């Protein structure tokens, strides 16, 4: 049975799609997508809801329907702000119904740009496990296929007001001190982190991610092929079997 995608807003700024689980549950899945691009994961949200998760897909501050400026605050803070609001109550904007998730048990899923948003939150006590698909782990490791300067100009040209940011905030990425797992090791609990990455990924290259995973000693799955994988890879049976085993530890 198809689960309908609802909408809510957290902390006034963060617009978020969500799907209610099929059964009573305190399990929460927050999906952090890559950029640039419109965040699409309706199928994944419904898929997670059928497995007993409250499933959320936020728009980062300063992107699409959300308020604020993109990269003014670290996107991983958006995730923390959502988690803080879950037990207090959030409104289905379609009909005003209020939902609450008491004692939320949170699982984070991040892809590409969304990888740091989940990895950097791994130490939070409410977060049980983190899954990152083709994640950026160090903005200083420039991609030859998509260097930061090129992404900045392309995003402005191709997506217009879908991403609203100042140059000074964009440049914080290349400093390596902002939204950057490789220079924030103390914020990471490696026992909670599972990373999937393909050796033929040209967008986020394999070597820096493998070295980062070895440095923090987290669980790492290397694939020979797959290129720059979508967050929706989570739904593939061969991925979900590994994820479920990791969650059940």
């Amino acid at each position: 049975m198809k689960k309908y995608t609802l909408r809510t807003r957290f902390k006034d700024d963060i617009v978020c799609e969500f799907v209610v689980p099929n059964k009573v549950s305190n399990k929460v899945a927050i999906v952090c997508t890559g950029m640039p691009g419109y965040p699409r994961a309706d199928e994944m949200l419904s898929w997670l809801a059928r497995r007993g998760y409250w499933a959320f897909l936020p728009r980062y501050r300063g992107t699409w329907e959300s308020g604020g400026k993109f990269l003014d605050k670290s996107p991983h803070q958006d995730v923390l702000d959502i988690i803080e609001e879950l037990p207090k109550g959030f409104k289905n904007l379609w009909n005003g119904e209020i939902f609450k998730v008491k004692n939320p048990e949170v699982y984070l899923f991040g892809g590409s740009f969304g990888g740091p948003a989940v990895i950097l939150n791994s130490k939070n006590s409410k977060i049980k496990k983190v899954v990152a698909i083709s994640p950026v782990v160090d903005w200083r490791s420039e991609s030859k296929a998509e260097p930061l300067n090129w992404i900045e100009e392309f995003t402005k040209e191709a997506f217009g007001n879908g991403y609203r940011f100042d140059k000074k905030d964009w440049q914080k990425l290349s400093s390596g001190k902002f939204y950057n797992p490789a220079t924030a090791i103390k914020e990471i609990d490696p026992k909670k982190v599972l990373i999937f990455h393909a050796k033929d990924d040209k967008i986020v290259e394999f070597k820096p991610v493998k070295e980062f995973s070895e440095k923090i000693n987290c669980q790492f799955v290397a694939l020979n092929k797959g290129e720059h994988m979508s967050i929706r890879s989570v739904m593939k049976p061969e991925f979900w079997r590994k994820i479920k085993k990791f969650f059940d530890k």
Side-chain angles (χ1 to χ4, degrees), residues 101-124:
V101 183
K102 295 181 180 179
N103 302 312
E105 185 178 287
V106 183
Y107 298 83
L108 302 181
F109 297 86
S112 193
F113 176 89
V118 304
I119 294 170
L120 289 172
N121 279 319
S122 57
K123 269 201 172 179
N124 186 289

Side-chain angles (χ1 to χ4, degrees), residues 65-79:
E65 301 95 321
S66 291
K69 283 190 175 182
F70 185 48
L71 301 179
D72 178 35
K73 295 181 179 181
S74 175
H76 86 281
Q77 183 61 50
D78 295 359
V79 176

Side-chain angles (χ1 to χ4, degrees), residues 2 19 34 36 55-56 124 161 237 240:
K2 178 178 172 57
V19 177
F56 295 86
N124 186 289
N161 286 328
W240 186 247

Side-chain angles (χ1 to χ4, degrees), residues 13 25 31 46 50 70 74 79 88 107 139 154 163 167 173 175 219 221:
D13 282 340
S25 173
V31 180
S46 294
R50 290 195 298 272
F70 185 48
S74 175
V79 176
K88 297 178 182 177
Y107 298 83
W139 292 104
F154 171 75
Y163 292 86
K167 191 174 188 67
L173 292 174
S175 74
Q219 191 163 328
V221 177

Side-chain angles (χ1 to χ4, degrees), residues 3-248:
K3 298 292 291 183
Y4 290 102
T5 303
L6 308 178
R7 281 183 172 251
T8 189
R9 186 182 286 268
F10 293 102
K11 295 285 186 178
D12 295 327
D13 282 340
I14 306 166
V15 170
C16 192
E17 288 182 311
F18 72 101
V19 177
V20 178
N22 281 5
K23 57 187 179 182
V24 176
S25 173
N26 71 331
K27 292 197 299 182
V28 171
I30 300 177
V31 180
C32 297
T33 61
M35 69 79 61
Y38 189 77
R40 291 188 182 93
D42 284 7
E43 182 185 359
M44 184 175 171
L45 295 188
S46 294
W47 186 88
L48 287 164
R50 290 195 298 272
R51 283 154 182 79
Y53 294 86
W54 291 83
F56 295 86
L57 176 64
R59 281 80 167 106
Y60 305 114
R61 279 188 173 96
T63 73
W64 301 105
E65 301 95 321
S66 291
K69 283 190 175 182
F70 185 48
L71 301 179
D72 178 35
K73 295 181 179 181
S74 175
H76 86 281
Q77 183 61 50
D78 295 359
V79 176
L80 292 177
D81 287 344
I82 291 169
I83 293 169
E84 181 185 333
E85 296 285 290
L86 293 175
K88 297 178 182 177
F90 54 96
K91 183 191 296 185
N92 171 15
L93 297 174
W94 288 105
N95 63 10
E97 183 178 3
I98 301 295
F99 295 100
K100 293 183 180 180
V101 183
K102 295 181 180 179
N103 302 312
E105 185 178 287
V106 183
Y107 298 83
L108 302 181
F109 297 86
S112 193
F113 176 89
V118 304
I119 294 170
L120 289 172
N121 279 319
S122 57
K123 269 201 172 179
N124 186 289
S125 61
K126 291 187 176 67
I127 292 168
K128 295 299 180 181
K129 295 290 175 68
V130 165
V131 177
I133 309 289
S134 303
V136 176
V137 296
D138 192 349
W139 292 104
R140 299 169 302 178
S141 299
E142 283 267 14
S143 165
K144 293 176 184 176
E146 292 188 1
L148 280 173
N149 287 342
W150 179 86
I151 298 174
E152 178 188 7
E153 294 307 314
F154 171 75
T155 300
K156 288 180 177 178
E157 185 71 20
F159 292 92
N161 286 328
Y163 292 86
R164 303 172 299 282
F165 60 90
D166 294 331
K167 191 174 188 67
K168 65 178 178 60
D169 288 328
W170 183 266
Q171 290 175 335
K172 291 189 292 189
L173 292 174
S174 59
S175 74
K177 299 176 182 178
F178 174 81
Y179 193 55
N180 200 49
T183 52
I185 300 297
K186 291 181 180 179
E187 295 179 39
I188 299 167
D189 182 347
K191 293 178 182 178
K192 294 183 182 179
V193 178
L194 168 61
I195 294 175
F196 292 83
H197 212 93
K199 294 178 182 178
D200 60 351
D201 190 338
K202 300 285 195 299
I203 306 301
V204 178
E205 294 180 4
F206 178 80
K207 185 180 177 183
V209 181
K210 182 176 185 291
E211 290 175 348
F212 169 80
S213 300
E214 290 172 345
K215 183 176 183 179
I216 68 170
N217 195 29
C218 72
Q219 191 163 328
F220 181 69
V221 177
L223 298 114
N224 289 324
K225 293 184 178 180
E227 299 184 343
H228 193 57
M229 296 178 290
S230 162
I231 188 63
R232 292 184 291 278
S233 301
V234 164
M235 296 186 290
K236 295 179 179 179
E238 61 271 28
F239 279 67
W240 186 247
R241 280 194 296 269
K242 289 182 172 65
I243 292 168
K244 188 69 167 59
K245 184 177 179 181
F246 178 64
F247 284 0
D248 291 342

